[in-house]
Amino acid sequence: MSNLTRDLQRTWTKRRDEKARRLAKVERLAEGRVLPTESIVEALQALLAPGDRVVLEGNNQKQATFLSAALNQVDPAKINNLHMLMSSISRPEHLDIFERGIAKKVDFSYAGPQSLRVAQMLEDGVLDVGAIHTYLELYARLFVDLIPTVALVAADKADAAGNLYTGPNTEETPTIVEATAFRDGIVIAQVNELVDELPRVDIPASWVDFVVVADKPYQLEPLFTRDPRHITEVQILMAMLVIRGIYERHQVTSLNHGVGFNAAAIELLLPTYGESLGLRGKICRHWTLNPHPTLIPAIESGWVESIHCFGSEVGMEDYIAARPDVFFTGHDGSLRSNRLLSQVAGQYAVDLFIGSTLQMDGDGNSSTVTLGRLAGFGGAPNMGHDPHGRRHSTPAWLSLITSESPTVRGRKLVVQMVETFQRGNAPTFVESLDAIQVGRDAVLPVTPVMIYGDDVTHVVTEEGIAYLYKARDRTERRQALVAIAGVTPVGRQHDPRLNGRLRRDGLVAFPEDLGIRRTDAKRSLLAAKSIEDLVDWSGGLYKPPAHFRSW
Amino acid sequence: MSNLTRDLQRTWTKRRDEKARRLAKVERLAEGRVLPTESIVEALQALLAPGDRVVLEGNNQKQATFLSAALNQVDPAKINNLHMLMSSISRPEHLDIFERGIAKKVDFSYAGPQSLRVAQMLEDGVLDVGAIHTYLELYARLFVDLIPTVALVAADKADAAGNLYTGPNTEETPTIVEATAFRDGIVIAQVNELVDELPRVDIPASWVDFVVVADKPYQLEPLFTRDPRHITEVQILMAMLVIRGIYERHQVTSLNHGVGFNAAAIELLLPTYGESLGLRGKICRHWTLNPHPTLIPAIESGWVESIHCFGSEVGMEDYIAARPDVFFTGHDGSLRSNRLLSQVAGQYAVDLFIGSTLQMDGDGNSSTVTLGRLAGFGGAPNMGHDPHGRRHSTPAWLSLITSESPTVRGRKLVVQMVETFQRGNAPTFVESLDAIQVGRDAVLPVTPVMIYGDDVTHVVTEEGIAYLYKARDRTERRQALVAIAGVTPVGRQHDPRLNGRLRRDGLVAFPEDLGIRRTDAKRSLLAAKSIEDLVDWSGGLYKPPAHFRSW
């Protein structure tokens, strides 16, 4: 053996010993693995310690509200300087814990509703940001250098042994529990009810330390429901461009849609405009996305073979359960979503990502970060790039090859679909992203760009499509982009004399080049024009939340 | 509602009904969820149907040998044209099923030991290849367009209800079971034994249809054990270059190591050469890799904070169980590996990938595919690229920025470490990859490149380091690469008069530039020089398989 020696004094079970020490403190409170509802604050004070890394479940839709409220009630003199790991900062108490001094640092992915306050608290030094991640990279770091000490998660039901049933909103729960449980962390799950027999087991009891019945069911928001009434004719025109000029042209069979009315318009045109082009069975067969209600007509018309979901959507439960040939469901009949797996599938297994943004510069860089708001990007950057580790080919992927080199590879389609102006007349195309200033103000190490221009293959506006992947250099790229940027500051740089060459080289297509008449882009083309229509399409299985009902 | 109508005749439970039909056929064979060992062939004939998509578990290490042997015994007149989904084609019967006509098409990731026969059978039309994937993208497609009908998997133990304990080699089992179980596929698990109480539950019974006790334990191979006796002084020199010129320079704290003696040499130099540079605690703290025995000295010397594993390694079980502060272990004490999660972590959460290859061209493209062999690449392309969806920063990631643009981002370090000549004197650096010809012969849609040159940031040989990420254009990139390519056909194009500029611009570093004397690269620097040394370092906890023992 080498003359180096092992440190024989060192303990290798620090984490396990510390966990045992903490569990012993709550033994008198718990009945087996069940913590009484009213003891949760006391239990958290016993199970947490200053400086802990705490992963608090909160995706877009599903929030561990009982546990986050309880965390906000612990005594900051005892529990402080927590390092929070949260995919989404969604609720006021998520930030209150920083103001109260319970937590100090946060690593997160998305802060939509709280983005203004996050930026302010960062500026005031109340909160430190580790980094802003995509969902997938944040989950990844839970297994590397952000391993949690404690996980606070939400499930539908538990049995007394601690087995968990998450129901349709499985989402990120298994992932954050696995990271915590297998590194001697402490897993606490709030559940809506305790039952004798679970419909199915989503997380085995041997991964869970405590379950606690919440005072009320966890918060669940229908964030991905878009009312077709609000879809405009400009959006319908853009959707026609996408179907004709991208999906049909590149034979896109597997894809992800971002949320928003643009994507909803496409979904609602498949059974009408798409059908008239004879595209059923040829495009849009396999999806990774949340169960958007606006997909119902396409499903019912036989367009969709499979959908894997990040999460579920309130109101879609019965419809999903009745369509197991399309959705991933358990033997109990309800959806099994999985945010991590769906992000992996959306990154690697589909041919196209289509999303939208608030601002785009002349190089195609885009961001939803605008002045004063530090929103994060959720999953968009993960799906909105070309994964260089991909090695399998499809017709769509191969269709983006523009070189003759023997070592060339295909490319994922990354499409940005934007109107040239946002509501309130702010131009979408700008010389310089607001994100640059926001990044400087927040002293971020790099500008918070959502999708980088070099990853974008197509940009669609109401003016036409820029086929950026065909550009031979940065100048040509910019020429194609400004040609469809309308009368924005960027678009005004366009020289219309270039149009002939750009169209001939296939760098730009205007509606007429695709056989689309602007006057055909009518709301009558939508397969459903209202939430009520969607309910009808579903045969009454879709049950929209009250505030979407108008009839 | 629209005048379009739903197809009211359509069934939406085809998959579920078909599953029920098949399960009914084996009811008389099974006792609850337990199939008798001797009935497995009969059961497979009842549960499978021609054209099914069948995912057969076989990672590198762990093989569902009992089930693959049984599959080879079904009657091809009844069961044929199966579409196999296999991360690894490792065993002769994996190909026999194609020769017997039981299977026709395969989608896979790696075919190391069978690569010659795969190429031959493809040429003979006995087998169709869907595509060659990385592990992660193959798993991803199981949730999109390659959803399995049947999964044949391996676990250590089951209880009569069907709960599974995988033990340390959890690997891909949960992923392929989830894809199958939640789309009304049929999940059959071979187990080494049936027990009353499991040490822990890795997969809940509600995801499993049948368990069957195998006639003998599943095959498990120690594929990642490298005997330090075979590490050469050239490899030690290269390892010193990497530690000094890359890990120290870029402050690499989280990383993945490929398998092979090059990486083993680095691991064994950390407690000696690395220690002498004062780097403990500063570099190489967080790892995603299999539990390489050559990491034991670094772990014992306090270098390693965490390791997340793709799989386990035979002989490392007791050592891992005694080091829960470092490894991910269950409350039963044994490792929890997870190939998908570790691939996600290796892609997104670490700063550096270092691997090796058999051939590299002047643009830095590399492949392990050589003439006549269609090997696939396993996980290397997934970890050996810059994930453009990454948004969090680390000092290492930021250190690769070379531009002043406000929308610039950092970059993952992708390092290739190769000697200029392979064993048998074949040059590593070649004008044109053999993979191009292999791809043409096999009529693959693109050349099977393992790592693309544009993803590689550093190349290390015994001559020095090429810092490719600093090159301003393709010419400069090539100049840097040929400068360290020795006397290979590519290296002979080097003009030594460029050396001054290349060194000054930081494009190339030779050992002397890094303060390394070639004569210091001695085997005496290795923290362990033999398997026996590794056992000593482990305090006897590491129990190498018999064929690695020489004492």
Side-chain angles (χ1 to χ4, degrees), chain A residues 40 44 54-59 62-68 85 142 148 150-156 162 164 166 170 172-178 180 186-192 203 207-212 214 218:
Chain A
I40 188 61
L44 286 181
V54 178
V55 53
L56 172 60
E57 180 161 21
N59 300 139
K62 175 187 174 189
Q63 302 290 337
T65 29
F66 173 70
L67 290 173
S68 60
L85 311 170
L142 300 182
V150 174
L152 306 175
V153 303
D156 278 21
L164 301 183
T166 58
T170 312
E172 69 184 20
T173 321
T175 307
I176 62 187
V177 170
E178 179 157 352
T180 312
I186 297 170
V187 176
I188 307 170
Q190 72 167 71
V191 297
N192 297 345
I203 296 172
W207 307 15
V208 177
D209 295 295
F210 296 108
V211 297
V212 53
Y218 58 76

Side-chain angles (χ1 to χ4, degrees), chain B residues 20 112 125 234 326 367 549:
Chain B
V234 171
V326 171
S367 191
R549 283 189 217 134

Side-chain angles (χ1 to χ4, degrees), chain B residues 351-362:
Chain B
D351 286 332
L352 173 140
F353 162 83
I354 190 163
S356 200
T357 188
L358 296 177
Q359 287 191 334
M360 181 178 288
D361 71 18

Side-chain angles (χ1 to χ4, degrees), chain B residues 130-172:
Chain B
I132 308 176
H133 307 72
T134 60
Y135 293 128
L136 199 55
E137 64 180 314
L138 182 59
Y139 301 147
R141 290 187 72 190
L142 300 182
F143 296 88
V144 179
D145 59 350
L146 292 178
I147 297 167
T149 327
V150 175
L152 305 175
V153 303
D156 280 20
K157 304 176 204 283
D159 61 22
N163 290 294
L164 302 182
Y165 170 68
T166 59
N169 288 83
T170 312
E171 306 199 4
E172 69 184 20

Side-chain angles (χ1 to χ4, degrees), chain A residues 1-2 4-7 10-16 131-134 136-137 140-145 147 175 178-179 181-184 200-202 204 206-207 254 271-272 286 288 299-300 302 305-306 308 321-331 333 336 338 340-341 344-345 347-350 361 365 377 381-382 385 387-393 397-398 401 406-410 433 436 440 445-447 449-452 454-455 527 533 536-539, chain B residues 1-2 4-7 10-16 131-134 136-137 140-145 147 175 178-179 181-184 200-202 204 206-207 254 271-272 286 288 299-300 302 305-306 308 321-331 333 336 338 340-341 344-345 347-350 361 365 377 381-382 385 387-393 397-398 401 406-410 433 436 440 445-447 449-452 454-455 527 533 536-539:
Chain A
M1 182 171 167
S2 134
L4 298 160
T5 44
R6 295 183 299 124
D7 176 358
R10 174 167 173 185
T11 169
W12 297 93
T13 55
K14 259 190 218 151
R15 297 175 71 96
R16 185 182 295 166
I132 308 175
H133 307 73
T134 61
L136 199 55
E137 65 181 318
R141 291 187 72 191
L142 300 182
F143 296 88
V144 178
D145 60 350
I147 298 166
T175 307
E178 179 157 352
F182 290 97
R183 203 73 201 297
D184 290 316
R200 72 175 189 239
V201 176
D202 288 291
S206 58
W207 307 15
S254 58
T272 55
H286 303 283
T288 59
I299 295 171
E300 295 300 309
E305 287 175 38
S306 70
H308 191 267
R323 298 291 179 266
D325 279 351
V326 171
F327 292 96
F328 283 73
T329 55
H331 69 82
R336 165 85 177 188
N338 187 318
L340 180 133
L341 288 175
V344 170
Q347 181 193 53
Y348 259 129
V350 304
D361 71 17
N365 298 302
F377 309 120
N382 175 57
H385 78 275
H388 283 197
R390 174 170 168 169
R391 293 295 178 272
H392 75 276
S393 54
W397 188 78
L398 292 170
I401 291 178
T407 51
V408 79
R409 53 185 158 185
L433 299 175
I436 295 172
R440 281 191 194 128
V446 294
T447 295
V449 172
M450 178 172 67
I451 311 258
Y452 286 91
D454 54 7
D455 282 319
D533 281 355
D536 283 349
W537 269 105
S538 76
Chain B
M1 180 171 167
S2 133
L4 298 159
T5 43
R6 293 182 301 125
D7 176 0
R10 176 168 172 186
T11 168
W12 297 93
T13 55
K14 259 191 215 150
R15 297 175 72 97
R16 185 182 295 167
I132 308 176
H133 307 72
T134 60
L136 199 55
E137 64 180 314
R141 290 187 72 190
L142 300 182
F143 296 88
V144 179
D145 59 350
I147 297 167
T175 307
E178 179 158 353
F182 290 97
R183 203 73 201 295
D184 290 317
R200 73 173 188 239
V201 176
D202 288 292
S206 59
W207 307 15
S254 58
T272 56
H286 303 284
T288 58
I299 295 169
E300 295 299 309
E305 286 176 39
S306 71
H308 191 267
R323 298 290 179 267
D325 278 350
V326 171
F327 292 97
F328 282 72
T329 56
H331 70 82
R336 165 84 176 190
N338 187 318
L340 180 133
L341 288 175
V344 170
Q347 182 193 52
Y348 259 128
V350 304
D361 71 18
N365 298 303
F377 308 120
N382 175 56
H385 78 274
H388 283 198
R390 174 169 168 168
R391 293 294 177 272
H392 75 277
S393 54
W397 187 77
L398 291 170
I401 291 178
T407 52
V408 79
R409 53 185 157 188
L433 299 176
I436 295 173
R440 280 189 194 130
V446 293
T447 296
V449 171
M450 178 172 67
I451 312 260
Y452 286 90
D454 54 8
D455 280 318
D533 281 356
D536 283 350
W537 268 105
S538 78

